Amino acid sequence: MGLLDQIYRQLVVDHSKNRRNHRKLDGTNVKHLHYKNPTCGDVMTLFMKLSEEQVIEDISFIGEGCSISMASASMMTELLKGVPMDEALKLRSAMEQFIKTGEVAEDCDLGDSLSLQGVHKLRARHNCALMAWQAFDRVIEKS
Ligand code: ZN
């Protein structure tokens, strides 16, 4: 195993054990959404607070599931916090491409989520890595 693979593996383990932003959000203007990944049994609730200027002021989750799903959700909240919605949507589609092909779109910094690169070879785990992002799609639609 190469050095980069080892670093990636450690990042996934770290995020799945020490989940960032793993808490409920309360207050006005907080949307939340329950989501389930039927292929693996992963479950999560995503919380998001959007400002009037369409910036993601805060984002968090609670959930249980495999290490890939929990690490990916943790990484997603770190990536999206403080980010304007138009930028977040670019990251969203870059992430889908990244998980399915292993390729990173130009001008996109996926942060720690880059450590999920190996998942593109494991088709059965694509939904685990994308679960949080699918929940993000749906929480946006919720009015
Ligand atoms: Zn899973």
Side-chain angles (χ1 to χ4, degrees):
M1 189 162 54
L3 180 61
L4 193 60
D5 285 338
Q6 285 181 39
I7 292 168
Y8 279 175
R9 184 165 297 204
Q10 282 168 10
L11 265 174
V12 173
V13 169
D14 181 47
H15 271 275
S16 66
K17 288 192 172 161
N18 309 302
R19 298 170 197 167
R20 321 298 198 265
N21 305 302
H22 194 256
R23 57 189 160 79
K24 290 183 184 178
L25 282 186
D26 290 320
T28 49
N29 302 324
V30 173
K31 295 194 221 182
H32 74 280
L33 181 112
H34 303 286
Y35 196 65
K36 185 174 184 190
N37 169 20
T39 57
C40 187
D42 312 311
V43 290
M44 67 178 290
T45 305
L46 181 65
F47 300 86
M48 184 175 77
K49 182 171 184 174
L50 200 59
S51 75
E52 283 179 20
E53 295 79 28
Q54 301 295 301
V55 173
I56 299 172
E57 262 181 38
D58 208 352
I59 183 164
S60 70
F61 78 108
I62 51 172
E64 283 305 325
C66 68
S67 55
I68 291 175
S69 69
M70 293 297 107
S72 181
S74 170
M75 291 163 181
M76 183 188 81
T77 60
E78 277 203 325
L79 195 58
L80 294 183
K81 202 166 176 174
V83 168
M85 186 53 75
D86 56 350
E87 179 68 18
L89 292 173
K90 265 188 228 164
L91 291 167
R92 172 33 185 134
S93 55
M95 198 61 202
E96 178 105 18
Q97 182 192 330
F98 177 61
I99 293 300
K100 291 188 170 163
T101 68
E103 309 277 327
V104 188
E106 271 180 53
D107 306 329
C108 263
D109 182 359
L110 296 176
D112 285 359
S113 297
L114 284 172
S115 64
L116 296 168
Q117 210 224 1
V119 175
H120 84 274
K121 293 179 214 148
L122 312 166
R123 186 165 295 189
R125 311 308 294 279
H126 285 185
N127 278 331
C128 300
L130 290 172
M131 173 174 77
W133 293 89
Q134 290 160 355
F136 176 65
D137 292 341
R138 284 164 177 77
V139 86
I140 295 168
E141 288 165 8
K142 229 180 152 180
S143 52

mmCIF file with all atom_site columns, all heavy atoms in Angstrom, residues 2 5 8 29-30 39 45 48 66 68 85-86 103 120 125 138-139:
data_model
loop_
_atom_site.group_PDB
_atom_site.id
_atom_site.type_symbol
_atom_site.label_atom_id
_atom_site.label_alt_id
_atom_site.label_comp_id
_atom_site.label_asym_id
_atom_site.label_entity_id
_atom_site.label_seq_id
_atom_site.pdbx_PDB_ins_code
_atom_site.Cartn_x
_atom_site.Cartn_y
_atom_site.Cartn_z
_atom_site.occupancy
_atom_site.B_iso_or_equiv
_atom_site.pdbx_formal_charge
_atom_site.auth_seq_id
_atom_site.auth_comp_id
_atom_site.auth_asym_id
_atom_site.auth_atom_id
_atom_site.pdbx_PDB_model_num
ATOM 1   N N   . GLY A 1 2   ? 0.606   2.179  -0.892  1.00 0.00 ? 2   GLY A N   1
ATOM 2   C CA  . GLY A 1 2   ? 1.399   3.409  -0.983  1.00 0.00 ? 2   GLY A CA  1
ATOM 3   C C   . GLY A 1 2   ? 1.129   4.349  0.185   1.00 0.00 ? 2   GLY A C   1
ATOM 4   O O   . GLY A 1 2   ? 0.161   4.186  0.922   1.00 0.00 ? 2   GLY A O   1
ATOM 5   N N   . ASP A 1 5   ? -2.242  6.104  -0.021  1.00 0.00 ? 5   ASP A N   1
ATOM 6   C CA  . ASP A 1 5   ? -3.339  5.214  0.372   1.00 0.00 ? 5   ASP A CA  1
ATOM 7   C C   . ASP A 1 5   ? -3.441  5.094  1.892   1.00 0.00 ? 5   ASP A C   1
ATOM 8   O O   . ASP A 1 5   ? -4.530  5.047  2.455   1.00 0.00 ? 5   ASP A O   1
ATOM 9   C CB  . ASP A 1 5   ? -3.124  3.812  -0.218  1.00 0.00 ? 5   ASP A CB  1
ATOM 10  C CG  . ASP A 1 5   ? -3.426  3.768  -1.700  1.00 0.00 ? 5   ASP A CG  1
ATOM 11  O OD1 . ASP A 1 5   ? -4.171  4.654  -2.178  1.00 0.00 ? 5   ASP A OD1 1
ATOM 12  O OD2 . ASP A 1 5   ? -2.920  2.868  -2.377  1.00 0.00 ? 5   ASP A OD2 1
ATOM 13  N N   . TYR A 1 8   ? -4.936  8.283  3.233   1.00 0.00 ? 8   TYR A N   1
ATOM 14  C CA  . TYR A 1 8   ? -6.363  8.279  2.920   1.00 0.00 ? 8   TYR A CA  1
ATOM 15  C C   . TYR A 1 8   ? -7.122  7.373  3.882   1.00 0.00 ? 8   TYR A C   1
ATOM 16  O O   . TYR A 1 8   ? -8.165  7.737  4.407   1.00 0.00 ? 8   TYR A O   1
ATOM 17  C CB  . TYR A 1 8   ? -6.583  7.815  1.480   1.00 0.00 ? 8   TYR A CB  1
ATOM 18  C CG  . TYR A 1 8   ? -6.366  8.888  0.439   1.00 0.00 ? 8   TYR A CG  1
ATOM 19  C CD1 . TYR A 1 8   ? -6.427  8.574  -0.917  1.00 0.00 ? 8   TYR A CD1 1
ATOM 20  C CD2 . TYR A 1 8   ? -6.128  10.202 0.790   1.00 0.00 ? 8   TYR A CD2 1
ATOM 21  C CE1 . TYR A 1 8   ? -6.240  9.545  -1.894  1.00 0.00 ? 8   TYR A CE1 1
ATOM 22  C CE2 . TYR A 1 8   ? -5.934  11.181 -0.176  1.00 0.00 ? 8   TYR A CE2 1
ATOM 23  C CZ  . TYR A 1 8   ? -5.994  10.852 -1.516  1.00 0.00 ? 8   TYR A CZ  1
ATOM 24  O OH  . TYR A 1 8   ? -5.819  11.807 -2.473  1.00 0.00 ? 8   TYR A OH  1
ATOM 25  N N   . ASN A 1 29  ? -34.922 28.706 10.978  1.00 0.00 ? 29  ASN A N   1
ATOM 26  C CA  . ASN A 1 29  ? -34.253 28.557 9.680   1.00 0.00 ? 29  ASN A CA  1
ATOM 27  C C   . ASN A 1 29  ? -33.381 27.314 9.584   1.00 0.00 ? 29  ASN A C   1
ATOM 28  O O   . ASN A 1 29  ? -32.538 27.225 8.702   1.00 0.00 ? 29  ASN A O   1
ATOM 29  C CB  . ASN A 1 29  ? -33.410 29.784 9.321   1.00 0.00 ? 29  ASN A CB  1
ATOM 30  C CG  . ASN A 1 29  ? -34.223 31.053 9.294   1.00 0.00 ? 29  ASN A CG  1
ATOM 31  O OD1 . ASN A 1 29  ? -35.387 31.024 8.882   1.00 0.00 ? 29  ASN A OD1 1
ATOM 32  N ND2 . ASN A 1 29  ? -33.657 32.139 9.752   1.00 0.00 ? 29  ASN A ND2 1
ATOM 33  N N   . VAL A 1 30  ? -33.539 26.374 10.506  1.00 0.00 ? 30  VAL A N   1
ATOM 34  C CA  . VAL A 1 30  ? -32.816 25.110 10.379  1.00 0.00 ? 30  VAL A CA  1
ATOM 35  C C   . VAL A 1 30  ? -33.744 24.095 9.718   1.00 0.00 ? 30  VAL A C   1
ATOM 36  O O   . VAL A 1 30  ? -34.849 23.853 10.192  1.00 0.00 ? 30  VAL A O   1
ATOM 37  C CB  . VAL A 1 30  ? -32.351 24.567 11.749  1.00 0.00 ? 30  VAL A CB  1
ATOM 38  C CG1 . VAL A 1 30  ? -31.757 23.178 11.594  1.00 0.00 ? 30  VAL A CG1 1
ATOM 39  C CG2 . VAL A 1 30  ? -31.347 25.514 12.380  1.00 0.00 ? 30  VAL A CG2 1
ATOM 40  N N   . THR A 1 39  ? -29.102 0.201  0.561   1.00 0.00 ? 39  THR A N   1
ATOM 41  C CA  . THR A 1 39  ? -28.162 -0.851 0.185   1.00 0.00 ? 39  THR A CA  1
ATOM 42  C C   . THR A 1 39  ? -27.288 -1.301 1.349   1.00 0.00 ? 39  THR A C   1
ATOM 43  O O   . THR A 1 39  ? -26.735 -2.385 1.312   1.00 0.00 ? 39  THR A O   1
ATOM 44  C CB  . THR A 1 39  ? -27.268 -0.423 -0.997  1.00 0.00 ? 39  THR A CB  1
ATOM 45  O OG1 . THR A 1 39  ? -26.588 0.776  -0.652  1.00 0.00 ? 39  THR A OG1 1
ATOM 46  C CG2 . THR A 1 39  ? -28.082 -0.198 -2.247  1.00 0.00 ? 39  THR A CG2 1
ATOM 47  N N   . THR A 1 45  ? -29.590 11.866 9.889   1.00 0.00 ? 45  THR A N   1
ATOM 48  C CA  . THR A 1 45  ? -30.407 13.064 9.812   1.00 0.00 ? 45  THR A CA  1
ATOM 49  C C   . THR A 1 45  ? -29.456 14.221 9.545   1.00 0.00 ? 45  THR A C   1
ATOM 50  O O   . THR A 1 45  ? -28.451 14.374 10.246  1.00 0.00 ? 45  THR A O   1
ATOM 51  C CB  . THR A 1 45  ? -31.163 13.304 11.130  1.00 0.00 ? 45  THR A CB  1
ATOM 52  O OG1 . THR A 1 45  ? -31.904 12.128 11.446  1.00 0.00 ? 45  THR A OG1 1
ATOM 53  C CG2 . THR A 1 45  ? -32.121 14.478 10.996  1.00 0.00 ? 45  THR A CG2 1
ATOM 54  N N   . MET A 1 48  ? -29.353 21.677 8.322   1.00 0.00 ? 48  MET A N   1
ATOM 55  C CA  . MET A 1 48  ? -28.701 22.741 7.580   1.00 0.00 ? 48  MET A CA  1
ATOM 56  C C   . MET A 1 48  ? -29.360 24.087 7.890   1.00 0.00 ? 48  MET A C   1
ATOM 57  O O   . MET A 1 48  ? -30.578 24.195 7.899   1.00 0.00 ? 48  MET A O   1
ATOM 58  C CB  . MET A 1 48  ? -28.768 22.485 6.078   1.00 0.00 ? 48  MET A CB  1
ATOM 59  C CG  . MET A 1 48  ? -28.009 23.525 5.267   1.00 0.00 ? 48  MET A CG  1
ATOM 60  S SD  . MET A 1 48  ? -27.970 23.145 3.497   1.00 0.00 ? 48  MET A SD  1
ATOM 61  C CE  . MET A 1 48  ? -29.617 23.634 3.015   1.00 0.00 ? 48  MET A CE  1
ATOM 62  N N   . CYS A 1 66  ? -21.975 2.441  8.205   1.00 0.00 ? 66  CYS A N   1
ATOM 63  C CA  . CYS A 1 66  ? -20.625 1.943  7.934   1.00 0.00 ? 66  CYS A CA  1
ATOM 64  C C   . CYS A 1 66  ? -19.628 3.102  7.949   1.00 0.00 ? 66  CYS A C   1
ATOM 65  O O   . CYS A 1 66  ? -20.016 4.274  7.895   1.00 0.00 ? 66  CYS A O   1
ATOM 66  C CB  . CYS A 1 66  ? -20.601 1.224  6.591   1.00 0.00 ? 66  CYS A CB  1
ATOM 67  S SG  . CYS A 1 66  ? -20.836 2.309  5.180   1.00 0.00 ? 66  CYS A SG  1
ATOM 68  N N   . ILE A 1 68  ? -17.581 4.196  5.744   1.00 0.00 ? 68  ILE A N   1
ATOM 69  C CA  . ILE A 1 68  ? -17.550 5.050  4.550   1.00 0.00 ? 68  ILE A CA  1
ATOM 70  C C   . ILE A 1 68  ? -18.665 6.089  4.608   1.00 0.00 ? 68  ILE A C   1
ATOM 71  O O   . ILE A 1 68  ? -18.443 7.275  4.353   1.00 0.00 ? 68  ILE A O   1
ATOM 72  C CB  . ILE A 1 68  ? -17.660 4.209  3.254   1.00 0.00 ? 68  ILE A CB  1
ATOM 73  C CG1 . ILE A 1 68  ? -16.382 3.380  3.058   1.00 0.00 ? 68  ILE A CG1 1
ATOM 74  C CG2 . ILE A 1 68  ? -17.894 5.104  2.039   1.00 0.00 ? 68  ILE A CG2 1
ATOM 75  C CD1 . ILE A 1 68  ? -16.444 2.429  1.874   1.00 0.00 ? 68  ILE A CD1 1
ATOM 76  N N   . MET A 1 85  ? -24.333 28.710 -1.552  1.00 0.00 ? 85  MET A N   1
ATOM 77  C CA  . MET A 1 85  ? -25.058 27.586 -2.138  1.00 0.00 ? 85  MET A CA  1
ATOM 78  C C   . MET A 1 85  ? -24.603 27.266 -3.562  1.00 0.00 ? 85  MET A C   1
ATOM 79  O O   . MET A 1 85  ? -24.495 26.087 -3.926  1.00 0.00 ? 85  MET A O   1
ATOM 80  C CB  . MET A 1 85  ? -26.567 27.865 -2.104  1.00 0.00 ? 85  MET A CB  1
ATOM 81  C CG  . MET A 1 85  ? -27.429 26.720 -2.558  1.00 0.00 ? 85  MET A CG  1
ATOM 82  S SD  . MET A 1 85  ? -27.098 25.144 -1.716  1.00 0.00 ? 85  MET A SD  1
ATOM 83  C CE  . MET A 1 85  ? -27.857 25.420 -0.130  1.00 0.00 ? 85  MET A CE  1
ATOM 84  N N   . ASP A 1 86  ? -24.299 28.275 -4.377  1.00 0.00 ? 86  ASP A N   1
ATOM 85  C CA  . ASP A 1 86  ? -23.901 27.965 -5.762  1.00 0.00 ? 86  ASP A CA  1
ATOM 86  C C   . ASP A 1 86  ? -22.588 27.177 -5.787  1.00 0.00 ? 86  ASP A C   1
ATOM 87  O O   . ASP A 1 86  ? -22.418 26.254 -6.580  1.00 0.00 ? 86  ASP A O   1
ATOM 88  C CB  . ASP A 1 86  ? -23.843 29.223 -6.639  1.00 0.00 ? 86  ASP A CB  1
ATOM 89  C CG  . ASP A 1 86  ? -22.922 30.296 -6.093  1.00 0.00 ? 86  ASP A CG  1
ATOM 90  O OD1 . ASP A 1 86  ? -22.455 30.168 -4.933  1.00 0.00 ? 86  ASP A OD1 1
ATOM 91  O OD2 . ASP A 1 86  ? -22.657 31.261 -6.819  1.00 0.00 ? 86  ASP A OD2 1
ATOM 92  N N   . GLU A 1 103 ? -12.276 10.529 -10.672 1.00 0.00 ? 103 GLU A N   1
ATOM 93  C CA  . GLU A 1 103 ? -11.681 11.741 -11.253 1.00 0.00 ? 103 GLU A CA  1
ATOM 94  C C   . GLU A 1 103 ? -12.206 12.987 -10.535 1.00 0.00 ? 103 GLU A C   1
ATOM 95  O O   . GLU A 1 103 ? -13.396 13.090 -10.252 1.00 0.00 ? 103 GLU A O   1
ATOM 96  C CB  . GLU A 1 103 ? -12.073 11.882 -12.729 1.00 0.00 ? 103 GLU A CB  1
ATOM 97  C CG  . GLU A 1 103 ? -11.824 10.651 -13.572 1.00 0.00 ? 103 GLU A CG  1
ATOM 98  C CD  . GLU A 1 103 ? -10.380 10.573 -14.060 1.00 0.00 ? 103 GLU A CD  1
ATOM 99  O OE1 . GLU A 1 103 ? -9.796  11.638 -14.302 1.00 0.00 ? 103 GLU A OE1 1
ATOM 100 O OE2 . GLU A 1 103 ? -9.861  9.449  -14.168 1.00 0.00 ? 103 GLU A OE2 1
ATOM 101 N N   . HIS A 1 120 ? -14.462 4.492  -5.755  1.00 0.00 ? 120 HIS A N   1
ATOM 102 C CA  . HIS A 1 120 ? -15.015 4.379  -7.112  1.00 0.00 ? 120 HIS A CA  1
ATOM 103 C C   . HIS A 1 120 ? -14.856 2.958  -7.673  1.00 0.00 ? 120 HIS A C   1
ATOM 104 O O   . HIS A 1 120 ? -15.623 2.541  -8.527  1.00 0.00 ? 120 HIS A O   1
ATOM 105 C CB  . HIS A 1 120 ? -14.406 5.429  -8.051  1.00 0.00 ? 120 HIS A CB  1
ATOM 106 C CG  . HIS A 1 120 ? -13.092 5.052  -8.659  1.00 0.00 ? 120 HIS A CG  1
ATOM 107 N ND1 . HIS A 1 120 ? -11.885 5.261  -8.031  1.00 0.00 ? 120 HIS A ND1 1
ATOM 108 C CD2 . HIS A 1 120 ? -12.803 4.453  -9.835  1.00 0.00 ? 120 HIS A CD2 1
ATOM 109 C CE1 . HIS A 1 120 ? -10.906 4.813  -8.809  1.00 0.00 ? 120 HIS A CE1 1
ATOM 110 N NE2 . HIS A 1 120 ? -11.430 4.325  -9.905  1.00 0.00 ? 120 HIS A NE2 1
ATOM 111 N N   . ARG A 1 125 ? -20.459 0.272  -2.839  1.00 0.00 ? 125 ARG A N   1
ATOM 112 C CA  . ARG A 1 125 ? -20.321 1.260  -1.771  1.00 0.00 ? 125 ARG A CA  1
ATOM 113 C C   . ARG A 1 125 ? -20.567 2.692  -2.242  1.00 0.00 ? 125 ARG A C   1
ATOM 114 O O   . ARG A 1 125 ? -20.430 3.616  -1.456  1.00 0.00 ? 125 ARG A O   1
ATOM 115 C CB  . ARG A 1 125 ? -18.932 1.174  -1.125  1.00 0.00 ? 125 ARG A CB  1
ATOM 116 C CG  . ARG A 1 125 ? -18.506 -0.222 -0.744  1.00 0.00 ? 125 ARG A CG  1
ATOM 117 C CD  . ARG A 1 125 ? -19.539 -0.945 0.110   1.00 0.00 ? 125 ARG A CD  1
ATOM 118 N NE  . ARG A 1 125 ? -19.724 -0.357 1.422   1.00 0.00 ? 125 ARG A NE  1
ATOM 119 C CZ  . ARG A 1 125 ? -18.909 -0.594 2.454   1.00 0.00 ? 125 ARG A CZ  1
ATOM 120 N NH1 . ARG A 1 125 ? -17.904 -1.404 2.331   1.00 0.00 ? 125 ARG A NH1 1
ATOM 121 N NH2 . ARG A 1 125 ? -19.132 -0.021 3.620   1.00 0.00 ? 125 ARG A NH2 1
ATOM 122 N N   . ARG A 1 138 ? -31.896 16.619 -0.999  1.00 0.00 ? 138 ARG A N   1
ATOM 123 C CA  . ARG A 1 138 ? -33.277 16.639 -0.546  1.00 0.00 ? 138 ARG A CA  1
ATOM 124 C C   . ARG A 1 138 ? -33.549 17.728 0.490   1.00 0.00 ? 138 ARG A C   1
ATOM 125 O O   . ARG A 1 138 ? -34.638 18.275 0.547   1.00 0.00 ? 138 ARG A O   1
ATOM 126 C CB  . ARG A 1 138 ? -33.644 15.267 0.019   1.00 0.00 ? 138 ARG A CB  1
ATOM 127 C CG  . ARG A 1 138 ? -33.885 14.260 -1.111  1.00 0.00 ? 138 ARG A CG  1
ATOM 128 C CD  . ARG A 1 138 ? -33.872 12.831 -0.605  1.00 0.00 ? 138 ARG A CD  1
ATOM 129 N NE  . ARG A 1 138 ? -34.165 11.890 -1.672  1.00 0.00 ? 138 ARG A NE  1
ATOM 130 C CZ  . ARG A 1 138 ? -33.288 11.515 -2.607  1.00 0.00 ? 138 ARG A CZ  1
ATOM 131 N NH1 . ARG A 1 138 ? -32.060 12.005 -2.583  1.00 0.00 ? 138 ARG A NH1 1
ATOM 132 N NH2 . ARG A 1 138 ? -33.635 10.649 -3.538  1.00 0.00 ? 138 ARG A NH2 1
ATOM 133 N N   . VAL A 1 139 ? -32.554 18.041 1.300   1.00 0.00 ? 139 VAL A N   1
ATOM 134 C CA  . VAL A 1 139 ? -32.772 19.088 2.298   1.00 0.00 ? 139 VAL A CA  1
ATOM 135 C C   . VAL A 1 139 ? -32.877 20.455 1.610   1.00 0.00 ? 139 VAL A C   1
ATOM 136 O O   . VAL A 1 139 ? -33.603 21.345 2.076   1.00 0.00 ? 139 VAL A O   1
ATOM 137 C CB  . VAL A 1 139 ? -31.687 19.063 3.396   1.00 0.00 ? 139 VAL A CB  1
ATOM 138 C CG1 . VAL A 1 139 ? -30.451 19.860 3.031   1.00 0.00 ? 139 VAL A CG1 1
ATOM 139 C CG2 . VAL A 1 139 ? -32.241 19.574 4.739   1.00 0.00 ? 139 VAL A CG2 1
#
